[in-house]
Amino acid sequence: MKKYRVGILGATGMVGQRFIQLLENHPQFEVTAVAASDRSQGKDDMTHYGFAVPSRADVDAIAERGRREGRLFWEPQEFPPPTGYLCAVKDPSGYIIEFSFGQPLGQNR
């Protein structure tokens, strides 16, 4: 079955958050981008979305891409359980998106 790549606009609002939840493990859709208004997150606001990835290598690959694009927010690092190995990037609107391996999120529990 073909998976359609989708982006979610207004990802920091209630409806955007619900869309992310509904599409997280959907068999036909893959969330590839989320965006929100620049007004959605202040500089001291550490609210963020977290997504589980299948491996540490995926965390490293996302971090490398974020570094190349000037969007890396947290370097990859290991934390004690339940946090695991993670990095974070800022999306084009400046919202923080965390990618983790070994954290009890989604299907990678």
Side-chain angles (χ1 to χ4, degrees), residues 53-66:
V53 296
S55 72
R56 290 174 65 95
D58 290 321
V59 172
D60 291 335
I62 291 165
E64 179 54 35
R65 180 174 176 182

PDB file of all heavy atoms in Angstrom, residues 53-66:
ATOM      1  N   VAL A  53      11.928   7.134  16.735  1.00  0.00           N
ATOM      2  CA  VAL A  53      12.517   6.614  15.497  1.00  0.00           C
ATOM      3  C   VAL A  53      13.065   5.219  15.788  1.00  0.00           C
ATOM      4  O   VAL A  53      13.327   4.869  16.943  1.00  0.00           O
ATOM      5  CB  VAL A  53      13.611   7.559  14.939  1.00  0.00           C
ATOM      6  CG1 VAL A  53      13.004   8.898  14.542  1.00  0.00           C
ATOM      7  CG2 VAL A  53      14.745   7.763  15.926  1.00  0.00           C
ATOM      8  N   PRO A  54      13.248   4.392  14.739  1.00  0.00           N
ATOM      9  CA  PRO A  54      13.616   2.993  14.947  1.00  0.00           C
ATOM     10  C   PRO A  54      15.041   2.723  15.449  1.00  0.00           C
ATOM     11  O   PRO A  54      15.308   1.633  15.940  1.00  0.00           O
ATOM     12  CB  PRO A  54      13.432   2.352  13.573  1.00  0.00           C
ATOM     13  CG  PRO A  54      12.610   3.291  12.780  1.00  0.00           C
ATOM     14  CD  PRO A  54      12.840   4.654  13.366  1.00  0.00           C
ATOM     15  N   SER A  55      15.961   3.695  15.313  1.00  0.00           N
ATOM     16  CA  SER A  55      17.350   3.396  15.696  1.00  0.00           C
ATOM     17  C   SER A  55      18.120   4.659  16.074  1.00  0.00           C
ATOM     18  O   SER A  55      17.724   5.775  15.732  1.00  0.00           O
ATOM     19  CB  SER A  55      18.073   2.700  14.536  1.00  0.00           C
ATOM     20  OG  SER A  55      18.319   3.625  13.496  1.00  0.00           O
ATOM     21  N   ARG A  56      19.251   4.448  16.745  1.00  0.00           N
ATOM     22  CA  ARG A  56      20.161   5.552  17.063  1.00  0.00           C
ATOM     23  C   ARG A  56      20.684   6.183  15.767  1.00  0.00           C
ATOM     24  O   ARG A  56      20.881   7.396  15.703  1.00  0.00           O
ATOM     25  CB  ARG A  56      21.342   5.039  17.887  1.00  0.00           C
ATOM     26  CG  ARG A  56      20.982   4.635  19.285  1.00  0.00           C
ATOM     27  CD  ARG A  56      22.175   3.998  20.008  1.00  0.00           C
ATOM     28  NE  ARG A  56      23.238   4.949  20.206  1.00  0.00           N
ATOM     29  CZ  ARG A  56      23.431   5.666  21.308  1.00  0.00           C
ATOM     30  NH1 ARG A  56      22.624   5.505  22.338  1.00  0.00           N
ATOM     31  NH2 ARG A  56      24.417   6.524  21.396  1.00  0.00           N
ATOM     32  N   ALA A  57      20.898   5.338  14.757  1.00  0.00           N
ATOM     33  CA  ALA A  57      21.389   5.845  13.466  1.00  0.00           C
ATOM     34  C   ALA A  57      20.403   6.844  12.872  1.00  0.00           C
ATOM     35  O   ALA A  57      20.810   7.828  12.242  1.00  0.00           O
ATOM     36  CB  ALA A  57      21.643   4.689  12.495  1.00  0.00           C
ATOM     37  N   ASP A  58      19.107   6.621  13.070  1.00  0.00           N
ATOM     38  CA  ASP A  58      18.105   7.575  12.576  1.00  0.00           C
ATOM     39  C   ASP A  58      18.208   8.907  13.309  1.00  0.00           C
ATOM     40  O   ASP A  58      18.101   9.967  12.698  1.00  0.00           O
ATOM     41  CB  ASP A  58      16.691   7.004  12.730  1.00  0.00           C
ATOM     42  CG  ASP A  58      16.419   5.852  11.792  1.00  0.00           C
ATOM     43  OD1 ASP A  58      16.872   5.898  10.635  1.00  0.00           O
ATOM     44  OD2 ASP A  58      15.750   4.897  12.225  1.00  0.00           O
ATOM     45  N   VAL A  59      18.421   8.861  14.626  1.00  0.00           N
ATOM     46  CA  VAL A  59      18.609  10.091  15.394  1.00  0.00           C
ATOM     47  C   VAL A  59      19.818  10.849  14.846  1.00  0.00           C
ATOM     48  O   VAL A  59      19.760  12.061  14.604  1.00  0.00           O
ATOM     49  CB  VAL A  59      18.797   9.797  16.902  1.00  0.00           C
ATOM     50  CG1 VAL A  59      19.198  11.061  17.659  1.00  0.00           C
ATOM     51  CG2 VAL A  59      17.530   9.199  17.498  1.00  0.00           C
ATOM     52  N   ASP A  60      20.918  10.117  14.622  1.00  0.00           N
ATOM     53  CA  ASP A  60      22.138  10.748  14.111  1.00  0.00           C
ATOM     54  C   ASP A  60      21.936  11.342  12.719  1.00  0.00           C
ATOM     55  O   ASP A  60      22.422  12.442  12.430  1.00  0.00           O
ATOM     56  CB  ASP A  60      23.294   9.745  14.093  1.00  0.00           C
ATOM     57  CG  ASP A  60      23.751   9.368  15.486  1.00  0.00           C
ATOM     58  OD1 ASP A  60      23.547  10.163  16.434  1.00  0.00           O
ATOM     59  OD2 ASP A  60      24.323   8.264  15.644  1.00  0.00           O
ATOM     60  N   ALA A  61      21.196  10.640  11.862  1.00  0.00           N
ATOM     61  CA  ALA A  61      20.949  11.133  10.494  1.00  0.00           C
ATOM     62  C   ALA A  61      20.096  12.406  10.531  1.00  0.00           C
ATOM     63  O   ALA A  61      20.359  13.358   9.787  1.00  0.00           O
ATOM     64  CB  ALA A  61      20.274  10.051   9.657  1.00  0.00           C
ATOM     65  N   ILE A  62      19.084  12.426  11.386  1.00  0.00           N
ATOM     66  CA  ILE A  62      18.238  13.618  11.512  1.00  0.00           C
ATOM     67  C   ILE A  62      19.064  14.788  12.041  1.00  0.00           C
ATOM     68  O   ILE A  62      18.960  15.916  11.552  1.00  0.00           O
ATOM     69  CB  ILE A  62      17.030  13.329  12.416  1.00  0.00           C
ATOM     70  CG1 ILE A  62      16.082  12.358  11.706  1.00  0.00           C
ATOM     71  CG2 ILE A  62      16.316  14.613  12.815  1.00  0.00           C
ATOM     72  CD1 ILE A  62      15.049  11.720  12.605  1.00  0.00           C
ATOM     73  N   ALA A  63      19.910  14.507  13.038  1.00  0.00           N
ATOM     74  CA  ALA A  63      20.762  15.566  13.593  1.00  0.00           C
ATOM     75  C   ALA A  63      21.713  16.109  12.535  1.00  0.00           C
ATOM     76  O   ALA A  63      21.910  17.329  12.440  1.00  0.00           O
ATOM     77  CB  ALA A  63      21.548  15.038  14.786  1.00  0.00           C
ATOM     78  N   GLU A  64      22.289  15.236  11.734  1.00  0.00           N
ATOM     79  CA  GLU A  64      23.222  15.686  10.692  1.00  0.00           C
ATOM     80  C   GLU A  64      22.506  16.571   9.670  1.00  0.00           C
ATOM     81  O   GLU A  64      23.018  17.608   9.267  1.00  0.00           O
ATOM     82  CB  GLU A  64      23.869  14.479  10.004  1.00  0.00           C
ATOM     83  CG  GLU A  64      24.836  14.856   8.908  1.00  0.00           C
ATOM     84  CD  GLU A  64      25.933  15.824   9.361  1.00  0.00           C
ATOM     85  OE1 GLU A  64      26.390  15.729  10.523  1.00  0.00           O
ATOM     86  OE2 GLU A  64      26.320  16.695   8.555  1.00  0.00           O
ATOM     87  N   ARG A  65      21.318  16.167   9.271  1.00  0.00           N
ATOM     88  CA  ARG A  65      20.558  17.005   8.337  1.00  0.00           C
ATOM     89  C   ARG A  65      20.218  18.352   8.979  1.00  0.00           C
ATOM     90  O   ARG A  65      20.348  19.399   8.352  1.00  0.00           O
ATOM     91  CB  ARG A  65      19.284  16.295   7.896  1.00  0.00           C
ATOM     92  CG  ARG A  65      18.480  17.124   6.932  1.00  0.00           C
ATOM     93  CD  ARG A  65      17.296  16.401   6.384  1.00  0.00           C
ATOM     94  NE  ARG A  65      16.522  17.293   5.549  1.00  0.00           N
ATOM     95  CZ  ARG A  65      15.404  16.946   4.959  1.00  0.00           C
ATOM     96  NH1 ARG A  65      14.923  15.730   5.082  1.00  0.00           N
ATOM     97  NH2 ARG A  65      14.743  17.821   4.225  1.00  0.00           N
ATOM     98  N   GLY A  66      19.782  18.320  10.244  1.00  0.00           N
ATOM     99  CA  GLY A  66      19.491  19.560  10.957  1.00  0.00           C
ATOM    100  C   GLY A  66      20.713  20.459  11.050  1.00  0.00           C
ATOM    101  O   GLY A  66      20.625  21.680  10.905  1.00  0.00           O
TER     102      GLY A  66
END
